[in-house]
């Protein structure tokens, strides 16, 4: 709601909850690139990005606090220091970390303007027939399970994903998926909608004896440096657990 002249704003007087300071922790992080403004990491699967209720430790922010000390942007407060964008806990791959507020603002603007290229390696259940395709369907919160996202045409936010087949297997396909928007669980929701759920995804996809997390890896990242506007491109190789899945499948 945008305030208008003569509107009255009231505050109920509830006490402000002050969170404890985030404790630095020596947690291994895979640094791909670093300079005075940004840090590029290859996040491991199973690592939560930032603290939340009931989970104040053992997150990426705790690790960043140890590695970078106070050299992190302050947008989002102490619990989200340096965090410009997120990956799900069980998604691995490339992330941009802002080391100061200037970098955070500039990179956030690139995300807002959709000039950052992000592509993922994804293993889905089923043999995808088309070599290329897209899903241009809005995404919103589920009406019953509010933490689960769905394709929602009435009040969902626009979302666009494009995919290219890399290799087909019996009952599975390796895809490269580029997302043009950054909706929560976008690839997982879109691939389920298309009939090819992400392998190992217990929420939107199908469980697999071959892996204990979703087969989703942020593989490529392309953006402009916040300070001098030069183009930066990074790649993170497929992690070992997803490679083992592919090695156990039979190619067509």
């Amino acid at each position: 709601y945008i305030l208008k002249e003569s509107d009255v704003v009231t505050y109920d007087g509830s006490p402000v909850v002050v969170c404890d300071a985030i404790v630095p922790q020596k947690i291994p992080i895979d640094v791909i690139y670093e300079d005075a403004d940004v840090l590029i990491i290859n996040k491991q699967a199973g690592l939560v990005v930032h603290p939340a209720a009931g989970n104040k430790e053992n997150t990426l922010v705790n690790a960043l606090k140890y590695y970078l000390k106070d050299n992190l942007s302050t947008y989002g407060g102490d619990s989200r220091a340096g965090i410009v964008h997120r990956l799900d806990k069980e998604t691995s791959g490339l992330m941009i970390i802002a080391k100061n507020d200037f970098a955070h603002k500039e990179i956030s603007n690139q995300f807002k303007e959709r000039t950052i290229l992000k592509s993922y390696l994804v293993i889905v259940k089923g043999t995808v027939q088309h070599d290329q395709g897209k899903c241009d369907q809005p995404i919103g919160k589920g009406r019953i399970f509010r933490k689960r996202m769905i394709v929602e045409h009435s009040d969902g936010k626009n979302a666009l994903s494009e995919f290219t087949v890399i290799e087909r297997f019996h009952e599975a396909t390796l895809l490269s998926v580029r997302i043009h928007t950054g909706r929560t669980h976008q690839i997982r929701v879109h691939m389920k909608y298309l009939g090819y759920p992400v392998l190992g995804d217990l929420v939107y996809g199908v469980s697999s004896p071959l892996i204990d997390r979703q087969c989703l890896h942020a593989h490529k990242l392309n953006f402009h440096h916040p300070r001098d506007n030069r183009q930066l491109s990074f790649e993170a190789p497929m992690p070992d657990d997803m490679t083992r899945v592919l090695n156990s499948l039979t190619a067509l």
Side-chain angles (χ1 to χ4, degrees), residues 1-5 7:
Y1 175 74
I2 300 176
L3 293 174
K4 298 190 295 291
E5 187 176 357
D7 283 352

Side-chain angles (χ1 to χ4, degrees), residues 18-77:
V18 179
C19 296
D20 295 334
I22 303 303
V23 178
Q25 291 180 280
K26 190 177 181 179
I27 300 170
I29 52 176
D30 184 6
V31 176
I32 303 297
Y33 172 84
E34 182 178 3
D35 62 27
D37 294 298
V38 297
L39 179 75
I40 309 300
I41 68 161
N42 180 15
K43 187 185 86 69
Q44 63 266 41
L47 182 64
V48 175
V49 169
H50 58 73
N55 186 26
K56 299 294 185 183
E57 298 181 346
N58 301 312
T59 73
L60 175 58
V61 170
N62 295 102
L64 293 172
K65 284 279 189 176
Y66 181 89
Y67 180 76
L68 293 173
K69 306 299 188 289
D70 294 325
N71 296 319
L72 287 165
S73 67
T74 61
Y75 283 105

